[in-house]
């Protein structure tokens, strides 16, 4: 049975033990082209709001 | 005809100069004094430092741009200011020393009606023995603060990769080189770009990577951290940062003042007063920032540097420098107009203005060594402040001395920041963040200091695409290509 990546990460040392670790799904979504295209649009809109509030 | 002199052609000064030239037209003169022949989009130096961009891709020649804009360009560094003139000169003037244009080493007094100081930081390598004072590149360590530094860093990085390929383990130490550093964000980007490139080169398992910084917690970034709304929770940046470091197998040491650098090792002191040393094969440590060391003289020639500049060398502006202890700090301590309180025709913008105090909670070790980040002035605030100051100066020139000054307080503006965590069209990631406001306002938001509706962050490929687009967009804007004014700072 293959060990999950988060098991390896948590086991590295004491510092890692108490952190929040992304699982396989969250990690995969970070570079999923369709999901990231949607996030691209949303992040740009959010940034535009902050930029317009700051000028 | 009025003359507006801008000292420094970086992010803030270039913004101020180009808008001033556009708004004032040819009836007034805009002069830029800056020692560099090229403009540098500094955020992309990170990618030069890992060989993913060349120096040429992140810089361009200033001369043709200033010619096109009708700006008088003096490739020189400012040395001193005479805000009252001198016994032989009735007008205020700045003394400059040429670094190019065939006049290297020559001095000149440039008179002005208004002066904008946008000289940015002096990279104060001298603050930590062995960090690289004199070499201006880093002595035993490397830096990514300028395009040249980043190119040098990449050479060293490639050497390390070759060693790993030959079977030699390498230890990478990346972070801040002194207890009073700022710019943790740049080091954060560099450490994750290094990690990403090592993976791509197939040698990640031969590398130990460690972060060292003066932050009291991971994710402070000199802003006291930030709280972001994610999945219905409002969460501290500490949680996100620790998560990312742990996920990418990067160890961390925080609350650290690097007291000495030698070949292959650094000495440090921690917030609990303990000391130690850490070895490295490759280290990128950001130097602390100071003002560039301009002097100021009164009409009779007496030294008034202390009146015009704060002890750290940054120019005094309309900030509250007497706020006292941390408990008394308020958002309203932060400057709004960036006008010098003594000389009303003098302004400072970007990193060159003296902040009223730090943003993070002040900390020191039991031995009295201050170990806390100093306040960052990132690209967006530097650009916005540069534009606001240019607007004020143009109004003073065209409408007279009673003109209303434009305001741009860092306690009332937000910032968007994208921190690269690895480059690649389909494999890259970056943390895209916004904060509002940059300087927390605990009177308005007693818990987090910021509006959590406008403060967010997430990591992913989308952030990388945005970072890449921003690279091209800001270089396009700085070159004054058609429609440049439509691109926000
Ligand atoms: C590696 C790195 C990565 C970064 N990444 C980001 C990022 O991703 N996002 C972000 O928002 N910010 C980032 N920053 C911060 C950003 O670069 C700064 O906020 C910005 O450059 C500040 O603008 P400035 O005009 O005040 O200073 P600078 O851009 O440094 O410009 C100062 C100018 O003054 C000139 N000068 C110096 N001395 C003199 C003198 N005596 N007389 C005349 N001119 C002088 C200098 O040559 C320079 O041209 C990064 C910084 C670094 C170092």
């Amino acid at each position: 049975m293959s060990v999950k990546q988060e098991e390896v990460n948590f086991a590295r040392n004491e510092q890692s033990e108490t952190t929040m670790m992304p699982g396989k799904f969250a990690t995969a979504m970070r570079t999923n082209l369709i999901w990231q295209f949607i996030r691209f649009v949303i992040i740009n809109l959010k940034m535009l709001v902050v930029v317009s509030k700051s000028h | 005809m009025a003359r507006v002199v801008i000292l420094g052609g970086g992010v803030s000064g270039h913004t101020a100069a180009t808008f001033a030239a556009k708004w004032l037209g040819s009836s007034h003169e805009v002069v830029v004094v800056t020692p560099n022949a090229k403009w540098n989009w500094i955020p992309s130096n990170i990618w030069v430092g890992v060989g993913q961009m060349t120096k040429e891709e992140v810089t361009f020649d200033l001369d043709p741009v200033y010619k096109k804009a009708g700006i008088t360009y003096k490739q020189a560094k400012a040395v001193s200011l005479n805000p009252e003139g001198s016994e032989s000169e009735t007008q205020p003037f700045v003394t400059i020393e040429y670094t190019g244009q065939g006049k290297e080493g020559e001095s000149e007094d440039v008179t002005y009606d208004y002066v904008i100081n946008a000289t940015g930081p002096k990279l104060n390598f001298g603050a930590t023995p062995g960090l690289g004072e004199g070499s201006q590149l880093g002595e035993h360590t490397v830096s990514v603060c300028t395009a040249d530094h980043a190119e040098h860093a990449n050479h060293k990085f490639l050497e390390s990769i070759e060693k790993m390929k030959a079977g030699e383990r390498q230890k990478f130490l990346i972070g801040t080189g002194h207890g009073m550093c700022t710019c943790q964000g740049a080091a954060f980007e560099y450490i994750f770009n290094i990690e990403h490139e090592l993976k791509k080169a197939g040698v990640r398992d031969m590398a130990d990577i460690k972060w060292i910084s003066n932050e009291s917690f991971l994710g402070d970034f000199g802003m006291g951290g930030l709280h972001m709304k994610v999945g219905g929770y409002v969460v501290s940046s500490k949680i996100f940062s620790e998560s990312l470091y742990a996920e990418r197998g990067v160890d961390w040491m925080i609350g650290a003042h690097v007291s000495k650098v030698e070949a292959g090792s650094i000495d440090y002191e921690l917030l609990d007063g303990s000391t130690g040393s850490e070895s490295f094969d490759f280290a990128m440590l950001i130097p602390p920032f100071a003002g560039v060391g301009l002097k100021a003289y009164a009409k009779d020639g007496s030294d008034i540097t202390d009146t015009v500049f704060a002890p750290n060398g940054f120019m005094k502006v309309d900030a509250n420098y007497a706020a006292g202890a941390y408990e008394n700090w308020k958002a309203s301590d932060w400057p709004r107009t960036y006008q010098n309180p003594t000389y009303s025709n003098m302004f400072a913008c970007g990193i060159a203005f003296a902040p009223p105090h730090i943003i993070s909670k002040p900390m020191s070790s039991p031995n009295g060594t201050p170990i806390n980040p100093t306040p960052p002035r990132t690209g967006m605030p530097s650009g916005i402040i540069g534009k606001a100051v240019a607007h004020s100066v143009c109004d003073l020139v065209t409408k007279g001395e009673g003109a209303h000054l434009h305001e741009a307080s860092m306690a009332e503006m937000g910032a968007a920041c994208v921190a690269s965590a690895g480059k690649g069209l389909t494999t890259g990631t970056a943390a895209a963040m916004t904060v509002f406001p940059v300087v927390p306002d605990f009177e308005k938001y007693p818990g987090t200091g910021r509006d959590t509706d406008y403060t967010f962050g997430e990591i992913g490929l989308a952030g990388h695409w945005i970072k890449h687009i921003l690279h091209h967009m800001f270089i396009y804007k700085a070159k004054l290509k058609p429609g440049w004014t439509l691109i926000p700072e």
Side-chain angles (χ1 to χ4, degrees):
Chain A
M1 194 183 82
S2 69
V3 178
K4 287 181 186 164
Q5 186 58 43
E6 57 263 36
E7 292 296 336
V8 177
N9 291 344
F10 277 125
R12 273 192 66 245
N13 54 29
E14 257 181 56
Q15 277 187 328
S16 306
E17 221 173 78
T18 50
T19 60
M20 172 178 85
M21 201 71 72
K24 208 172 171 182
F25 179 73
T27 315
M29 290 310 267
R30 285 191 195 153
T31 48
N32 176 287
L33 291 181
I34 298 166
W35 177 239
Q36 287 302 314
F37 180 74
I38 298 167
R39 295 312 300 163
F40 176 78
V41 175
I42 294 170
I43 297 169
N44 270 303
L45 290 174
K46 283 182 163 187
M47 285 187 165
L48 275 177
V49 172
V50 172
V51 167
S52 64
K53 272 175 76 76
S54 307
H55 276 71
Chain B
M1 184 177 188
R3 181 185 284 158
V4 177
V5 176
I6 291 131
L7 310 177
V11 170
S12 202
H14 190 72
T15 307
T18 48
F19 276 102
K22 175 182 151 50
W23 289 328
L24 290 174
S26 53
S27 36
H28 302 282
E29 190 187 7
V30 175
V31 180
V32 172
V33 173
T34 193
N36 43 306
K38 289 179 186 284
W39 193 81
N40 175 205
W41 176 238
I42 297 172
S44 295
N45 289 353
I46 299 297
W47 290 335
V48 177
V50 290
Q52 290 301 300
M53 272 196 180
T54 61
K55 194 173 121 181
E56 289 66 37
E57 285 175 279
V58 301
T59 57
F60 64 81
D61 285 330
L62 278 174
D63 190 50
V65 176
Y66 286 157
K67 274 206 180 94
K68 178 164 80 177
I71 292 170
T72 308
Y73 166 43
K74 292 179 187 284
Q75 196 191 333
K77 60 176 190 208
V79 178
S80 60
L81 285 156
N82 277 61
E84 302 163 4
S86 68
E87 274 157 9
S88 56
E89 173 59 67
T90 53
Q91 280 262 96
F93 64 89
V94 52
T95 302
I96 67 170
E97 193 182 297
Y98 279 90
T99 56
Q101 298 173 326
K103 298 187 204 171
E104 288 82 339
E106 278 179 35
S107 271
E108 186 182 321
D109 292 342
V110 183
T111 58
Y112 63 80
D113 296 282
Y114 293 93
V115 69
I116 299 174
N117 175 15
T119 45
K122 170 188 169 192
L123 303 174
N124 195 10
F125 286 103
T128 305
L131 195 58
E133 176 79 332
S135 74
Q136 294 310 328
L137 264 182
E139 195 174 334
H140 309 295
T141 62
V142 299
S143 142
V144 285
C145 290
T146 71
D148 286 328
H149 290 180
E151 212 176 36
H152 169 246
N154 182 45
H155 287 311
K156 294 285 174 195
F157 179 50
L158 291 176
E159 281 173 25
S160 281
I161 290 184
E162 284 315 310
K163 284 184 189 162
M164 285 185 280
K165 283 187 173 162
E168 195 182 327
R169 251 194 120 66
Q170 294 282 288
K171 162 114 172 254
F172 292 81
L173 186 66
I174 291 164
T176 54
H178 189 272
M180 302 272 280
C181 280
T182 180
C183 225
Q184 289 76 13
F188 170 98
E189 290 188 284
Y190 196 57
I191 201 166
F192 289 112
N193 271 272
I194 287 267
E195 201 270 339
H196 184 73
E197 292 305 320
L198 291 177
K199 249 188 228 147
K200 271 166 59 183
V203 289
R204 178 63 183 91
D205 57 338
M206 294 295 288
D208 300 306
I209 310 180
K210 189 160 189 170
W211 171 258
I212 181 166
S213 101
N214 56 349
E215 301 158 288
S216 65
F217 60 90
L218 265 191
D220 177 289
F221 293 124
M223 303 193 302
L226 54 140
H227 289 78
M228 299 173 275
K229 213 185 243 174
V230 183
Y233 286 78
V234 176
V235 189
S236 162
S237 50
K238 176 178 189 279
I239 310 278
F240 280 97
S241 301
E242 289 185 350
S243 170
L244 185 63
Y245 281 66
E247 179 200 340
R248 304 274 288 258
V250 174
D251 298 333
W252 63 89
M253 186 197 300
I254 46 171
H257 161 66
V258 175
S259 54
K260 191 170 152 197
V261 183
E262 288 174 330
S265 109
I266 55 126
D267 289 352
Y268 63 81
E269 178 182 347
L270 297 182
L271 269 171
D272 65 8
S274 62
T275 56
S277 61
E278 188 76 27
S279 64
F280 65 83
D281 297 296
F282 175 101
M284 196 293 289
L285 298 177
I286 301 265
F289 291 175
V292 297
L294 296 181
K295 298 290 227 175
Y297 300 104
K299 197 171 183 65
D300 61 5
S302 59
D303 192 325
I304 53 164
T305 306
D306 291 352
T307 311
V308 176
F309 295 96
N312 54 13
F314 295 121
M315 187 178 263
K316 290 182 190 167
V317 291
D318 60 324
N320 175 17
Y321 296 110
Y326 176 70
E327 296 68 42
N328 304 327
W329 293 0
K330 289 200 175 83
S332 55
D333 297 337
W334 286 77
R336 309 180 71 84
T337 66
Y338 304 88
Q339 189 177 39
N340 180 263
T342 316
Y343 300 101
S344 61
N345 60 348
M346 229 154 64
F347 292 79
C349 58
I351 293 176
F353 81 82
H357 41 69
I358 63 174
I359 302 175
S360 308
K361 203 167 185 174
M363 305 251 174
S364 56
S365 74
N367 315 319
T369 310
I371 307 178
N372 43 228
T374 47
R377 261 77 48 86
T378 53
M380 185 172 150
S382 297
I384 293 177
I385 295 167
K387 188 174 174 183
V389 165
H391 215 162
S392 296
V393 168
C394 291
D395 282 355
L396 289 166
V397 169
T398 54
K399 298 179 185 162
E401 294 213 345
H404 168 75
L405 298 182
H406 294 263
E407 298 184 352
S409 165
M410 280 174 57
E412 285 165 20
M413 72 169 84
C417 194
V418 189
S420 171
K423 193 168 176 293
L425 189 62
T426 56
T427 57
T429 49
M433 286 177 278
T434 64
V435 282
F436 191 91
V438 178
V439 173
D441 184 340
F442 288 102
E443 285 173 310
K444 258 193 192 160
Y445 314 103
T448 68
R450 299 201 176 87
D451 189 333
T452 47
D453 286 340
Y454 303 106
T455 302
F456 80 96
E458 71 176 68
I459 185 158
L461 182 58
H464 171 69
W465 290 337
I466 296 172
K467 180 102 185 160
H468 210 106
I469 292 168
L470 289 180
H471 164 90
H472 291 291
M473 221 163 77
F474 284 121
I475 290 182
Y476 181 94
K477 178 181 166 130
K479 284 183 174 171
L480 311 184
K481 296 256 178 109
W484 67 274
T485 54
L486 301 174
I487 299 171
E489 285 64 48

